[in-house]
Amino acid sequence: MRKQISNLTPYTDNYFINCIYIEYLSAIKALGGDINGIISNTTFHNLLIQNGEEYALFVIDAPKIPLIQSMNECGIAFQREYIKQEDFVSYIEEQIDHNRIPIIAADGMYYRHPFHDLFYMKAHHIQSFVVSAYDSDQRIFEIVDVNGFKFDTHDFCYSNQVSYEDLTTCHIKSYETEQRYYNDGITVLSRMNEDLPVYSKEDQKHRLISTILADKKNILEGLEKIKWIADHIELYHEDADDSFNNKIARSSMVYQYDMIFGEEWSKYIELWKKSYKEWDTVDLAIQKNKILNQNIKQRFVDRFKKIYEIESQIYESIFDTYQ
C-alpha cells in the first residue's frame, strides 16, 4: 500500500537561507500555508567570529518572531518527537496517514546520496529529510532533501527513495554523532485549521519592513564588521562552509525582496545582486583555496570595501525611507 502527502513537492524557487528553511517551505506549501508569511519574517546581519587570533564574517538570519511562532501565525502546527528505533517506521506511517508531515534529523553517513558519495560510509554529516510518502509493500519511504552543491540549479531540492531500514538507520544514528543536529528528533508539521490565513501583499510588505527596522542596530553594527575586516585583512580567515553561507544570504535577499516587493524595490534588488556577485567571487576563491592553500587575503580588500559600500547604500535608503 502506498500513501503520500498531497501536493508535497520539492521547493525549488530559490535556495533560501539554508536546508531546513527550504524543507519547511516545501512542507508548509504542501499544507496550504502562506510561505510569504515565513519569507517576510526574517532579515540578516553580519557577525564577527573570533577564532584564536583570526576573525571570520558570518551572516545569520534574524527572524522578528521565532520561526515556530511564525509558522503558527500561518496556521501551521509544530511539534517535535523523539522516537525509539522499533517505533520509527510505524510512527512515520501514522503521520503520513493523517496528512501530517514528518521532517527527520539524519546522519548523512548512512544515506546513499544520488548526486555524490562524499559522506556515505566515510564521514558523519548532520542533515534532515522531509518524508513525503511510504510504500509498505516495497518498504520504501519517499523523501525530499536539499543538496547545497546544486544551489544554483533547480536540483538543489529533490525527491528520492530510501528503504525503511536505511532511513531508520539514518535517523537513529543522528542521535549518536558528536555534534547533535540543531533540529534533532522528528519535527511534525500539520494544519491547525481548515481555513488558513493568507497575507495580503501590503501585509507582507509591512511585515518585512518592520522586521528590517527591528534589526537596525544589528544590521548597522554588522556593516561596520565588514569594513573592519577590510581594514584588518591580515586577521581574516573564513571557513569554506561559512563563506558559502555568506553568499547564500545575499542570494536570499535578492529573492526575498523580489517576492515581497518586486518592481517597487528594484533598486535594492539590483544592489543585492551586485553584493552577491562580490561575495561569489570571494567564495569561489576560498573554495578553490581549500586545495591550493595559498595566502589570498589581500585579494579580498577591495571586494569587502565594495560590499560595505553597496550594503550601506541599501540600508541607509531603507532606514531613511521607512523609519
Side-chain angles (χ1 to χ4, degrees), residues 70-97:
S70 181
M71 284 193 276
N72 291 161
E73 289 186 357
C74 294
I76 303 300
F78 177 105
Q79 68 181 71
R80 181 164 293 161
E81 302 287 349
Y82 298 88
I83 303 300
K84 295 180 181 178
Q85 180 171 346
E86 59 268 25
D87 299 325
F88 177 79
V89 169
S90 61
Y91 180 81
I92 298 299
E93 289 179 339
E94 180 184 2
Q95 305 315 305
I96 294 172
D97 287 344

Side-chain angles (χ1 to χ4, degrees), residues 82-244:
Y82 298 88
I83 303 300
K84 295 180 181 178
Q85 180 171 346
E86 59 268 25
D87 299 325
F88 177 79
V89 169
S90 61
Y91 180 81
I92 298 299
E93 289 179 339
E94 180 184 2
Q95 305 315 305
I96 294 172
D97 287 344
H98 291 87
N99 208 45
R100 299 190 292 258
I101 301 179
I103 303 174
I104 70 163
D107 185 345
M109 182 173 181
Y110 304 95
Y111 172 56
R112 297 176 187 270
H113 204 290
F115 293 106
H116 61 75
D117 62 353
L118 294 175
F119 309 117
Y120 182 66
M121 302 312 293
K122 296 177 182 178
H124 295 291
H125 178 64
I126 52 176
Q127 61 184 105
S128 58
F129 304 125
V130 181
V131 188
S132 59
Y134 71 85
D135 188 320
S136 57
D137 296 327
Q138 298 187 51
R139 294 185 59 77
I140 288 174
F141 286 117
E142 293 181 15
I143 65 166
V144 170
D145 183 32
V146 178
N147 176 21
F149 294 107
K150 296 279 188 176
F151 77 95
D152 56 352
T153 77
H154 286 299
D155 289 331
F156 72 80
C157 191
Y158 66 95
S159 297
N160 195 20
Q161 293 185 337
V162 184
S163 71
Y164 277 17
E165 292 74 20
D166 284 353
L167 196 65
T168 301
T169 300
C170 283
H171 178 63
I172 297 303
K173 290 294 185 180
S174 73
Y175 296 119
E176 301 175 7
T177 56
E178 292 182 3
Q179 182 182 2
R180 286 292 295 274
Y181 191 62
Y182 63 87
N183 193 40
D184 63 0
I186 301 177
T187 298
V188 179
L189 302 186
S190 59
R191 292 174 65 104
M192 298 174 72
N193 301 293
E194 278 298 312
D195 297 321
L196 301 185
V198 177
Y199 291 91
S200 70
K201 182 56 70 175
E202 290 307 310
D203 286 340
Q204 295 169 27
K205 292 176 181 180
H206 179 267
R207 190 177 177 90
L208 178 54
I209 291 169
S210 64
T211 298
I212 294 171
L213 294 180
D215 202 43
K216 179 180 178 179
K217 180 176 182 293
N218 291 325
I219 288 171
L220 294 178
E221 289 177 354
L223 289 172
E224 293 304 312
K225 290 175 172 60
I226 299 174
K227 185 179 180 182
W228 189 91
I229 285 291
D231 293 337
H232 300 82
I233 199 66
E234 71 280 359
L235 300 177
Y236 176 66
H237 177 78
E238 197 79 71
D239 177 85
D241 290 341
D242 292 344
S243 172
F244 176 76

